[in-house]
Amino acid sequence: MMSAQKVIEEYLNDLGIGSYRRLAKIVYKQQQGYIVGLTQDDCLQAVLDVMANREMQHAMLVAIELDSIAQEAANHDGGVARQANPLIRLLVKDDSNFGVDERIAMSVAGLYGSIATSNFGYLDKVKPGVIGEINDMGKNGARVTTMIDDMLCAVVACAEADLAGGGL
């Protein structure tokens, strides 16, 4: 039986993220002007700490499963499921009225306080770096990424909040 962490890492690798360093790079770019002496290794450690959080792992697993179910349904039946199942349709389309992806990500960000919550909103809007790449996969129809792109925003936002709160 694979651990939650292993499932998450394999899924992110499959998406092309490769390592948490790409998320840490976003953290570094966002926080370097606010934290004296901040290094990319500090940012990577903050991302790893966030990813070790049980609630974050559980939310990531939900996001992965929902995106995967929607992707599988879209792949196997030529899109029939998208018409028959409203949830699949919302996930495949990344419908702007479907706010569950943001709500799950914001609930996890809320565990890290107001800095994480406000940073999540910013990250969700601008989708920097690898987050934008993952979001674009969903927008161009290459892959269902409705849930996971918001969860990546939450990971970065939580790591930023951890560092801002003295996580160094």
Side-chain angles (χ1 to χ4, degrees):
M1 181 163 80
M2 286 202 314
S3 69
Q5 189 67 30
K6 187 71 173 164
V7 169
I8 294 164
E9 287 173 5
E10 284 188 11
Y11 186 81
L12 295 179
N13 281 333
D14 188 47
L15 282 176
I17 291 178
S19 79
Y20 291 126
R21 286 199 178 278
R22 294 186 71 193
L23 297 175
K25 184 176 181 180
I26 299 169
V27 174
Y28 182 76
K29 284 183 178 181
Q30 300 265 125
Q31 296 301 303
Q32 66 181 341
Y34 302 104
I35 302 172
V36 176
L38 183 68
T39 67
Q40 289 196 19
D41 285 339
D42 296 330
C43 296
L44 177 59
Q45 189 57 56
V47 168
L48 293 173
D49 290 347
V50 167
M51 290 307 303
N53 179 289
R54 182 183 66 231
E55 287 84 1
M56 179 60 78
Q57 289 179 5
H58 291 171
M60 290 288 286
L61 291 171
V62 168
I64 289 166
E65 191 64 20
L66 287 173
D67 280 351
S68 296
I69 290 168
Q71 185 67 56
E72 186 175 324
N75 287 346
H76 284 327
D77 64 8
V80 173
R82 286 183 279 172
Q83 297 165 8
N85 184 320
L87 177 59
I88 299 299
R89 188 171 56 243
L90 289 167
L91 288 166
V92 170
K93 185 179 172 190
D94 197 2
D95 191 288
S96 61
N97 292 316
F98 182 71
V100 175
D101 46 344
E102 282 87 6
R103 289 301 312 148
I104 292 173
M106 283 189 347
S107 71
V108 177
L111 297 171
Y112 286 79
S114 60
I115 292 173
T117 303
S118 61
N119 285 2
F120 169 79
Y122 172 77
L123 292 162
D124 187 42
K125 182 71 176 162
V126 300
K127 307 264 192 223
V130 68
I131 296 168
E133 293 171 28
I134 300 303
N135 185 63
D136 290 347
M137 282 183 198
K139 297 298 182 197
N140 70 25
R143 183 100 182 240
V144 176
T145 61
T146 301
M147 302 296 295
I148 200 66
D149 70 316
D150 292 307
M151 288 307 305
L152 295 175
C153 290
V155 170
V156 170
C158 293
E160 291 173 353
D162 187 48
L163 290 167
L168 284 174

